[in-house]
């Protein structure tokens, strides 16, 4: 079965640079979530989209922005990167209304800021 | 706001033994889902089992089962006949259930489970 695809899998950036993370949800899934997992921590919710509209917002810095496109893929844009942004970024997808609500996670993008 | 607490940072058992991971949560909501996710060394987040709060029957998936006590706000995971491949970090997660749209997961701190040969 098709899974959530994230690209790139690994990304190394310098402080103050910009990064773009991409997420391709499971086919027919209309909802996308972004989570950030720091070293030794549990995943923290950043932002979600349902039918291409922002649905909920968590502890996402103002330096970050995201959107969901017409084909339901999503991109997380991160600017003015800081050392503390180094983390594993997960995208998850689900069926928003009609489905069983389970969120299926992608493999994650490991971002290292040097 | 909802909170999820996993009071066991680490656990270790022998292969083929049964192990129970604890999870408690705090919410004023009546409709919600609870999940257990597994994160092996590959760091992939894998859904293990789901429980709807309105269902009294405990969920079961092969060797994995839960003990859901709604009044006590407790949601423990039992792994029977543990296998080496069960070695992973296990996260308990809460999701509020609304009419539609996206609902975020709130995770506990995780329990690192090691299965020894």
């Amino acid at each position: 079965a098709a899974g959530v695809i994230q690209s790139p899998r690994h990304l190394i950036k310098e402080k103050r640079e910009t990064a773009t993370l991409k997420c391709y949800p499971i086919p027919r899934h209309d909802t996308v979530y972004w989570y950030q997992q720091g070293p030794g921590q549990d995943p923290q919710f950043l932002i979600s989209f349902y039918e291409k509209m922002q649905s909920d917002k968590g502890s996402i810095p103002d330096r970050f922005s995201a959107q969901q496109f017409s084909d339901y893929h999503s991109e997380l844009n991160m600017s003015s990167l800081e050392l503390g942004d180094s983390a594993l970024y997960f995208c998850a997808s689900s069926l928003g209304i009609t489905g069983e609500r389970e969120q299926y996670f992608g493999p994650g993008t490991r971002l290292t800021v040097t | 706001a909802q909170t999820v607490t996993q009071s066991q940072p680490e656990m270790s058992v022998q292969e083929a033994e049964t192990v129970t991971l604890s999870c408690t949560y705090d919410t004023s909501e009546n409709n919600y889902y609870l999940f257990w996710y597994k994160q092996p060394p590959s760091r992939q987040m894998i859904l293990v089992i789901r429980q709807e709060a309105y269902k009294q029957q405990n969920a079961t998936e092969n060797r994995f089962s839960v003990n859901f006590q709604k009044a006590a706000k407790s949601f423990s995971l039992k792994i029977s006949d543990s296998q080496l491949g069960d070695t992973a970090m296990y996260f308990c997660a809460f999701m509020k259930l609304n009419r539609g749209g996206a609902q975020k997961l709130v995770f506990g701190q995780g329990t690192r489970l090691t299965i020894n040969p």
Side-chain angles (χ1 to χ4, degrees):
Chain A
V4 177
I5 297 171
Q6 289 187 248
S7 68
R9 294 291 306 276
H10 301 273
L11 192 57
I12 300 175
K13 291 286 186 178
E14 295 187 354
K15 277 175 28 178
R16 292 180 289 277
E17 285 192 322
T18 297
T20 297
L21 279 54
K22 297 185 178 182
C23 168
Y24 298 86
I26 292 172
R28 296 191 304 111
H29 280 193
D30 51 15
T31 308
V32 167
Y33 311 77
W34 287 96
Y35 294 88
Q36 177 192 58
Q37 186 179 29
Q41 298 181 357
D42 56 286
Q44 294 292 314
F45 171 73
L46 292 178
I47 195 167
S48 61
F49 294 88
Y50 168 63
E51 281 293 345
K52 292 154 280 186
M53 299 288 289
Q54 181 180 309
S55 180
D56 195 5
K57 202 170 181 180
S59 50
I60 183 170
D62 292 340
R63 300 176 289 108
F64 294 7
S65 65
Q67 59 180 323
Q68 186 180 30
F69 294 86
S70 58
D71 63 350
Y72 293 99
H73 94 272
S74 178
E75 294 184 4
L76 177 65
N77 297 293
M78 311 160 70
S79 63
S80 302
L81 287 169
E82 302 174 356
L83 295 178
D85 296 329
S86 294
L88 187 57
Y89 289 84
F90 285 108
C91 171
S93 74
S94 71
L95 282 171
I97 291 180
T98 59
E100 293 295 337
R101 310 298 184 97
E102 291 103 334
Q103 294 184 22
Y104 294 92
F105 283 72
T109 293
R110 183 176 300 281
L111 172 66
T112 302
V113 182
T114 61
Chain B
Q2 291 78 30
T3 59
V4 179
T5 302
Q6 294 178 247
S7 58
Q8 305 151 311
E10 294 188 23
M11 296 189 71
S12 178
V13 298
Q14 296 299 119
E15 192 175 6
E17 289 184 344
T18 295
V19 59
T20 299
L21 308 182
S22 301
C23 172
T24 58
Y25 59 95
D26 187 23
T27 185
S28 58
E29 301 289 334
N30 195 45
N31 296 317
Y32 51 88
Y33 281 44
L34 293 163
F35 303 89
W36 280 97
Y37 279 88
K38 165 185 176 181
Q39 188 175 42
S42 67
R43 305 297 301 277
Q44 174 78 49
M45 292 289 286
I46 301 166
L47 177 63
V48 175
I49 200 164
R50 178 194 78 210
Q51 176 77 44
E52 295 93 329
Y54 65 88
K55 289 187 177 179
Q56 292 186 338
Q57 185 173 6
N58 290 322
T60 298
E61 288 287 342
N62 300 314
R63 298 182 294 107
F64 299 87
S65 61
V66 299
N67 183 4
F68 173 49
Q69 301 291 327
K70 190 173 182 179
K73 295 181 182 174
S74 171
F75 182 62
S76 61
L77 174 70
K78 185 172 82 171
I79 305 175
S80 303
D81 186 26
S82 57
Q83 301 175 359
L84 297 180
D86 295 332
T87 293
M89 180 73 87
Y90 285 80
F91 290 100
C92 178
F94 174 99
M95 184 179 75
K96 184 172 66 173
L97 186 60
N98 282 353
R99 185 179 295 273
Q103 299 299 330
K104 66 182 180 184
L105 289 169
V106 177
F107 289 91
Q109 307 92 322
T111 295
R112 185 174 301 280
L113 175 65
T114 301
I115 309 299
N116 299 305

